[in-house]
Amino acid sequence: FDYQRTMVAAAAALTARFGASPPPPPHALVVGLGAGSCAAALHALGCAVTAFEYDAAVLAAAASAHGVRFERLSRRAGGAGFDPPPRHRNGPRPLCVCEADAAEADAWGRAAFDLALLDAYDGRGDVPAHLQREPFLEGLSRVLRPGGFALANLWNGSDRARAECARFAAKLRAAVGRVYVLRVAGHEQNVILLACRPGERQGSESTCDVLRERLAAAAAAAATDCPEPALVQTIRSCASSLTEWSECEA
């Protein structure tokens, strides 16, 4: 889907997955596995990925129907976080899935992530209630490292959906940090919200111009490094479409 490509392209670009010397793999949190497309794409681009999915049927479908290979993580006794996967000396860390609701208290334990992906709307265009609650959003901010960010896909194709999107953007800003919007080329009824957690240094909060520059630089690097032209074009589209949420009509 176009919105999935936009989320993955922005995440990969903002974590500098392209170029001659990419940094150590970022740790990505995926809330809701779905068909596994976003998690598998991020893993293929070199990210360490931990997904949370509470529906066993979804896990089975992702594995059997879509061929997504993953390693299950076990919840710790008492439910506070999960046991890390065994070290893999002869290859990259596997795509990991914890069969649990990410909105549960202490679901993430002491894990730390560089980015988070939320596919955050239901069939009516509403953000699910458990992803809007203060404990979930505060927990999301807590596990994001300084300078990390969260990407949320939302439906924006009706007056009701736009009002819901505005409410969720306000909650993301209050919990995580400044919120930006990425347009989905070819599917304009979706929007991607990008919430950026401030860095450790005072005044290190990402600005629109800084993010556009990072996306444009990643697109230039990916043009010579990435074998998928559609992904490169999507990064370029992200660089040109990025706006701060306050600049957009709710």
PDB file of all heavy atoms in Angstrom, residues 148-167:
ATOM      1  N   GLY A 148      14.233  10.299  19.030  1.00  0.00           N
ATOM      2  CA  GLY A 148      13.448   9.291  18.325  1.00  0.00           C
ATOM      3  C   GLY A 148      12.125   9.860  17.829  1.00  0.00           C
ATOM      4  O   GLY A 148      11.773  11.006  18.114  1.00  0.00           O
ATOM      5  N   PHE A 149      11.388   9.051  17.102  1.00  0.00           N
ATOM      6  CA  PHE A 149      10.146   9.559  16.533  1.00  0.00           C
ATOM      7  C   PHE A 149       9.125   8.442  16.355  1.00  0.00           C
ATOM      8  O   PHE A 149       9.472   7.252  16.332  1.00  0.00           O
ATOM      9  CB  PHE A 149      10.408  10.259  15.191  1.00  0.00           C
ATOM     10  CG  PHE A 149      11.107   9.395  14.171  1.00  0.00           C
ATOM     11  CD1 PHE A 149      10.404   8.612  13.287  1.00  0.00           C
ATOM     12  CD2 PHE A 149      12.486   9.382  14.102  1.00  0.00           C
ATOM     13  CE1 PHE A 149      11.054   7.818  12.366  1.00  0.00           C
ATOM     14  CE2 PHE A 149      13.153   8.592  13.179  1.00  0.00           C
ATOM     15  CZ  PHE A 149      12.423   7.802  12.302  1.00  0.00           C
ATOM     16  N   ALA A 150       7.872   8.864  16.270  1.00  0.00           N
ATOM     17  CA  ALA A 150       6.771   7.932  16.041  1.00  0.00           C
ATOM     18  C   ALA A 150       6.040   8.334  14.765  1.00  0.00           C
ATOM     19  O   ALA A 150       5.804   9.522  14.524  1.00  0.00           O
ATOM     20  CB  ALA A 150       5.801   7.949  17.224  1.00  0.00           C
ATOM     21  N   LEU A 151       5.701   7.340  13.962  1.00  0.00           N
ATOM     22  CA  LEU A 151       4.940   7.545  12.731  1.00  0.00           C
ATOM     23  C   LEU A 151       3.582   6.868  12.887  1.00  0.00           C
ATOM     24  O   LEU A 151       3.513   5.695  13.255  1.00  0.00           O
ATOM     25  CB  LEU A 151       5.678   6.946  11.536  1.00  0.00           C
ATOM     26  CG  LEU A 151       6.955   7.663  11.087  1.00  0.00           C
ATOM     27  CD1 LEU A 151       7.875   6.700  10.362  1.00  0.00           C
ATOM     28  CD2 LEU A 151       6.611   8.838  10.194  1.00  0.00           C
ATOM     29  N   ALA A 152       2.513   7.607  12.609  1.00  0.00           N
ATOM     30  CA  ALA A 152       1.168   7.052  12.735  1.00  0.00           C
ATOM     31  C   ALA A 152       0.397   7.285  11.449  1.00  0.00           C
ATOM     32  O   ALA A 152       0.314   8.420  10.960  1.00  0.00           O
ATOM     33  CB  ALA A 152       0.431   7.686  13.913  1.00  0.00           C
ATOM     34  N   ASN A 153      -0.148   6.215  10.889  1.00  0.00           N
ATOM     35  CA  ASN A 153      -0.981   6.318   9.707  1.00  0.00           C
ATOM     36  C   ASN A 153      -2.426   6.545  10.133  1.00  0.00           C
ATOM     37  O   ASN A 153      -2.959   5.819  10.970  1.00  0.00           O
ATOM     38  CB  ASN A 153      -0.882   5.028   8.883  1.00  0.00           C
ATOM     39  CG  ASN A 153      -1.949   4.964   7.807  1.00  0.00           C
ATOM     40  OD1 ASN A 153      -2.070   5.869   7.000  1.00  0.00           O
ATOM     41  ND2 ASN A 153      -2.738   3.896   7.810  1.00  0.00           N
ATOM     42  N   LEU A 154      -3.053   7.567   9.562  1.00  0.00           N
ATOM     43  CA  LEU A 154      -4.453   7.845   9.883  1.00  0.00           C
ATOM     44  C   LEU A 154      -5.262   8.106   8.627  1.00  0.00           C
ATOM     45  O   LEU A 154      -4.756   8.622   7.626  1.00  0.00           O
ATOM     46  CB  LEU A 154      -4.576   9.060  10.816  1.00  0.00           C
ATOM     47  CG  LEU A 154      -4.091   8.842  12.247  1.00  0.00           C
ATOM     48  CD1 LEU A 154      -2.682   9.349  12.426  1.00  0.00           C
ATOM     49  CD2 LEU A 154      -5.012   9.500  13.250  1.00  0.00           C
ATOM     50  N   TRP A 155      -6.535   7.744   8.716  1.00  0.00           N
ATOM     51  CA  TRP A 155      -7.494   8.043   7.658  1.00  0.00           C
ATOM     52  C   TRP A 155      -7.907   9.493   7.794  1.00  0.00           C
ATOM     53  O   TRP A 155      -8.175   9.989   8.876  1.00  0.00           O
ATOM     54  CB  TRP A 155      -8.690   7.123   7.799  1.00  0.00           C
ATOM     55  CG  TRP A 155      -9.817   7.371   6.852  1.00  0.00           C
ATOM     56  CD1 TRP A 155     -11.048   7.879   7.142  1.00  0.00           C
ATOM     57  CD2 TRP A 155      -9.826   7.084   5.457  1.00  0.00           C
ATOM     58  NE1 TRP A 155     -11.812   7.947   6.020  1.00  0.00           N
ATOM     59  CE2 TRP A 155     -11.093   7.458   4.966  1.00  0.00           C
ATOM     60  CE3 TRP A 155      -8.882   6.560   4.571  1.00  0.00           C
ATOM     61  CZ2 TRP A 155     -11.450   7.316   3.618  1.00  0.00           C
ATOM     62  CZ3 TRP A 155      -9.226   6.409   3.240  1.00  0.00           C
ATOM     63  CH2 TRP A 155     -10.498   6.788   2.780  1.00  0.00           C
ATOM     64  N   ASN A 156      -7.946  10.198   6.647  1.00  0.00           N
ATOM     65  CA  ASN A 156      -8.223  11.630   6.673  1.00  0.00           C
ATOM     66  C   ASN A 156      -9.256  11.997   5.613  1.00  0.00           C
ATOM     67  O   ASN A 156      -9.296  13.126   5.133  1.00  0.00           O
ATOM     68  CB  ASN A 156      -6.915  12.399   6.430  1.00  0.00           C
ATOM     69  CG  ASN A 156      -6.949  13.821   6.896  1.00  0.00           C
ATOM     70  OD1 ASN A 156      -7.420  14.103   7.990  1.00  0.00           O
ATOM     71  ND2 ASN A 156      -6.426  14.727   6.083  1.00  0.00           N
ATOM     72  N   GLY A 157     -10.116  11.013   5.272  1.00  0.00           N
ATOM     73  CA  GLY A 157     -10.986  11.180   4.116  1.00  0.00           C
ATOM     74  C   GLY A 157     -12.390  11.646   4.398  1.00  0.00           C
ATOM     75  O   GLY A 157     -13.244  11.605   3.502  1.00  0.00           O
ATOM     76  N   SER A 158     -12.683  12.111   5.605  1.00  0.00           N
ATOM     77  CA  SER A 158     -14.019  12.626   5.924  1.00  0.00           C
ATOM     78  C   SER A 158     -13.884  13.689   7.005  1.00  0.00           C
ATOM     79  O   SER A 158     -12.837  13.798   7.656  1.00  0.00           O
ATOM     80  CB  SER A 158     -14.938  11.498   6.415  1.00  0.00           C
ATOM     81  OG  SER A 158     -14.508  11.021   7.682  1.00  0.00           O
ATOM     82  N   ASP A 159     -14.934  14.479   7.182  1.00  0.00           N
ATOM     83  CA  ASP A 159     -14.879  15.508   8.229  1.00  0.00           C
ATOM     84  C   ASP A 159     -14.657  14.881   9.591  1.00  0.00           C
ATOM     85  O   ASP A 159     -13.878  15.380  10.413  1.00  0.00           O
ATOM     86  CB  ASP A 159     -16.178  16.318   8.231  1.00  0.00           C
ATOM     87  CG  ASP A 159     -16.299  17.209   7.000  1.00  0.00           C
ATOM     88  OD1 ASP A 159     -15.266  17.474   6.352  1.00  0.00           O
ATOM     89  OD2 ASP A 159     -17.430  17.636   6.685  1.00  0.00           O
ATOM     90  N   ARG A 160     -15.325  13.763   9.833  1.00  0.00           N
ATOM     91  CA  ARG A 160     -15.172  13.088  11.117  1.00  0.00           C
ATOM     92  C   ARG A 160     -13.737  12.590  11.293  1.00  0.00           C
ATOM     93  O   ARG A 160     -13.144  12.747  12.359  1.00  0.00           O
ATOM     94  CB  ARG A 160     -16.159  11.925  11.207  1.00  0.00           C
ATOM     95  CG  ARG A 160     -15.969  11.063  12.443  1.00  0.00           C
ATOM     96  CD  ARG A 160     -16.969   9.933  12.488  1.00  0.00           C
ATOM     97  NE  ARG A 160     -16.661   9.035  13.586  1.00  0.00           N
ATOM     98  CZ  ARG A 160     -17.414   8.011  13.959  1.00  0.00           C
ATOM     99  NH1 ARG A 160     -18.538   7.762  13.328  1.00  0.00           N
ATOM    100  NH2 ARG A 160     -17.058   7.236  14.956  1.00  0.00           N
ATOM    101  N   ALA A 161     -13.194  12.000  10.238  1.00  0.00           N
ATOM    102  CA  ALA A 161     -11.835  11.474  10.332  1.00  0.00           C
ATOM    103  C   ALA A 161     -10.823  12.601  10.536  1.00  0.00           C
ATOM    104  O   ALA A 161      -9.869  12.455  11.296  1.00  0.00           O
ATOM    105  CB  ALA A 161     -11.493  10.679   9.078  1.00  0.00           C
ATOM    106  N   ARG A 162     -11.034  13.735   9.874  1.00  0.00           N
ATOM    107  CA  ARG A 162     -10.110  14.853  10.045  1.00  0.00           C
ATOM    108  C   ARG A 162     -10.154  15.396  11.474  1.00  0.00           C
ATOM    109  O   ARG A 162      -9.122  15.775  12.035  1.00  0.00           O
ATOM    110  CB  ARG A 162     -10.424  15.945   9.018  1.00  0.00           C
ATOM    111  CG  ARG A 162      -9.907  15.618   7.616  1.00  0.00           C
ATOM    112  CD  ARG A 162     -10.091  16.770   6.662  1.00  0.00           C
ATOM    113  NE  ARG A 162     -11.481  16.913   6.235  1.00  0.00           N
ATOM    114  CZ  ARG A 162     -12.033  16.238   5.238  1.00  0.00           C
ATOM    115  NH1 ARG A 162     -11.299  15.357   4.552  1.00  0.00           N
ATOM    116  NH2 ARG A 162     -13.286  16.418   4.895  1.00  0.00           N
ATOM    117  N   ALA A 163     -11.353  15.442  12.055  1.00  0.00           N
ATOM    118  CA  ALA A 163     -11.461  15.887  13.445  1.00  0.00           C
ATOM    119  C   ALA A 163     -10.769  14.901  14.379  1.00  0.00           C
ATOM    120  O   ALA A 163     -10.072  15.301  15.329  1.00  0.00           O
ATOM    121  CB  ALA A 163     -12.935  16.037  13.827  1.00  0.00           C
ATOM    122  N   GLU A 164     -10.922  13.610  14.097  1.00  0.00           N
ATOM    123  CA  GLU A 164     -10.260  12.583  14.907  1.00  0.00           C
ATOM    124  C   GLU A 164      -8.747  12.686  14.774  1.00  0.00           C
ATOM    125  O   GLU A 164      -7.997  12.565  15.752  1.00  0.00           O
ATOM    126  CB  GLU A 164     -10.741  11.198  14.446  1.00  0.00           C
ATOM    127  CG  GLU A 164     -10.281  10.050  15.310  1.00  0.00           C
ATOM    128  CD  GLU A 164     -11.079   9.924  16.597  1.00  0.00           C
ATOM    129  OE1 GLU A 164     -12.128  10.582  16.732  1.00  0.00           O
ATOM    130  OE2 GLU A 164     -10.622   9.170  17.477  1.00  0.00           O
ATOM    131  N   CYS A 165      -8.295  12.938  13.554  1.00  0.00           N
ATOM    132  CA  CYS A 165      -6.868  13.079  13.289  1.00  0.00           C
ATOM    133  C   CYS A 165      -6.299  14.269  14.071  1.00  0.00           C
ATOM    134  O   CYS A 165      -5.210  14.190  14.656  1.00  0.00           O
ATOM    135  CB  CYS A 165      -6.663  13.260  11.791  1.00  0.00           C
ATOM    136  SG  CYS A 165      -4.953  13.230  11.249  1.00  0.00           S
ATOM    137  N   ALA A 166      -7.041  15.376  14.096  1.00  0.00           N
ATOM    138  CA  ALA A 166      -6.590  16.562  14.817  1.00  0.00           C
ATOM    139  C   ALA A 166      -6.479  16.286  16.314  1.00  0.00           C
ATOM    140  O   ALA A 166      -5.523  16.719  16.974  1.00  0.00           O
ATOM    141  CB  ALA A 166      -7.548  17.726  14.559  1.00  0.00           C
ATOM    142  N   ARG A 167      -7.447  15.553  16.859  1.00  0.00           N
ATOM    143  CA  ARG A 167      -7.399  15.229  18.292  1.00  0.00           C
ATOM    144  C   ARG A 167      -6.197  14.354  18.612  1.00  0.00           C
ATOM    145  O   ARG A 167      -5.510  14.560  19.627  1.00  0.00           O
ATOM    146  CB  ARG A 167      -8.703  14.536  18.722  1.00  0.00           C
ATOM    147  CG  ARG A 167      -9.890  15.481  18.883  1.00  0.00           C
ATOM    148  CD  ARG A 167     -11.050  14.787  19.554  1.00  0.00           C
ATOM    149  NE  ARG A 167     -11.673  13.798  18.694  1.00  0.00           N
ATOM    150  CZ  ARG A 167     -12.673  14.061  17.847  1.00  0.00           C
ATOM    151  NH1 ARG A 167     -13.153  15.293  17.744  1.00  0.00           N
ATOM    152  NH2 ARG A 167     -13.199  13.106  17.106  1.00  0.00           N
TER     153      ARG A 167
END
